[in-house]
Amino acid sequence: TCGTCSGKKFKEQHKTLEVKIRPGADEENIVFKEECSDIEGAEIAGDVIIQITQKPHELYTRRGENLHAERTGSLEEALLGFKVELPHPRGPPVVVESTKPLQFGEVITVVGAGMPRPNTPGFGNLYLTVKFTVPREFTKEQQALLRGCLDK
C-alpha cells in the first residue's frame, strides 16, 4: 500500500493551472489533458476543461472575427448620409460615415474594425446594417417640397 494515497490511487491536492485567453477570444474550450481527477482508483488523471463563453453585447453580434450591428436612422440620414461614433469592445469608438443615399437594409462595411483573427495577424470587419424610419404623414407644404426635389 502506498503511504501517500493509502492504496486509493487518489490524493487530494490543490493545483494551480494557468489559463491564457487570447485577446478577442471567441467561445471555446481549453483542455488540460490528464491533469486532475476526482474519481478514486482512476489509473489516469482526468482532463480539466475550461469553457470560455461570451456575454451578449448590447450593440454587436459576433460571427467569428466579424462584428454585426444595426442602426435605425431618420429619412434625412437615409437620403443625405450620416456620421456616427459607435462604441467598440476593443477600445476607442469606431466612426461610421455615409455620404450618399442609402437603401433600407444596406450594409456598410468598416474593414479591420472587427475582433482579432485567431492565430493570424489582423482583424475582422464590422458590418453595420442601416434601417430608417419614414414619417407616416407629410403636410401639403412638405409634400410639395419633396416633389420639387425628387421630380428631377
Side-chain angles (χ1 to χ4, degrees):
T1 308
C2 170
T4 305
C5 68
S6 302
K8 294 180 182 179
K9 297 183 182 176
F10 183 83
K11 179 178 92 174
E12 186 174 327
Q13 66 179 10
H14 293 279
K15 190 173 195 175
T16 301
L17 302 173
E18 186 174 317
V19 178
K20 292 184 181 181
I21 301 172
R22 60 184 170 74
D26 205 349
E27 295 193 356
E28 61 183 287
N29 290 329
I30 297 173
V31 179
F32 292 90
K33 290 283 192 191
E34 300 178 7
E35 284 289 337
C36 301
S37 181
D38 60 357
I39 301 170
E40 286 190 32
E43 291 290 326
I44 299 173
D47 298 343
V48 175
I49 301 171
I50 298 172
Q51 185 176 16
I52 299 172
T53 58
Q54 295 178 355
K55 289 188 212 174
H57 193 274
E58 62 187 43
L59 177 62
Y60 298 107
T61 301
R62 182 174 179 167
R63 294 185 203 137
E65 67 264 8
N66 298 317
L67 294 175
H68 296 260
E70 288 186 359
R71 179 177 189 277
T72 301
S74 66
L75 178 58
E76 178 184 352
E77 291 175 327
L79 295 173
L80 303 175
F82 66 90
K83 182 176 183 177
V84 65
E85 282 190 2
L86 300 176
H88 197 275
R90 283 193 350 234
V94 174
V95 176
V96 181
E97 184 174 12
S98 174
T99 56
K100 63 179 183 74
L102 297 166
Q103 299 297 314
F104 186 91
E106 190 167 336
V107 177
I108 298 172
T109 302
V110 183
V111 176
M115 299 305 288
R117 290 193 175 117
N119 306 318
T120 59
F123 298 89
N125 299 326
L126 185 150
Y127 298 100
L128 181 65
T129 302
V130 180
K131 298 180 178 182
F132 49 88
T133 57
V134 178
R136 296 254 181 227
E137 295 181 27
F138 290 104
T139 65
K140 289 188 187 270
E141 184 180 274
Q142 290 171 323
Q143 288 176 4
L145 286 169
L146 285 169
R147 281 193 181 98
C149 293
L150 300 174
D151 280 345
K152 296 180 180 185

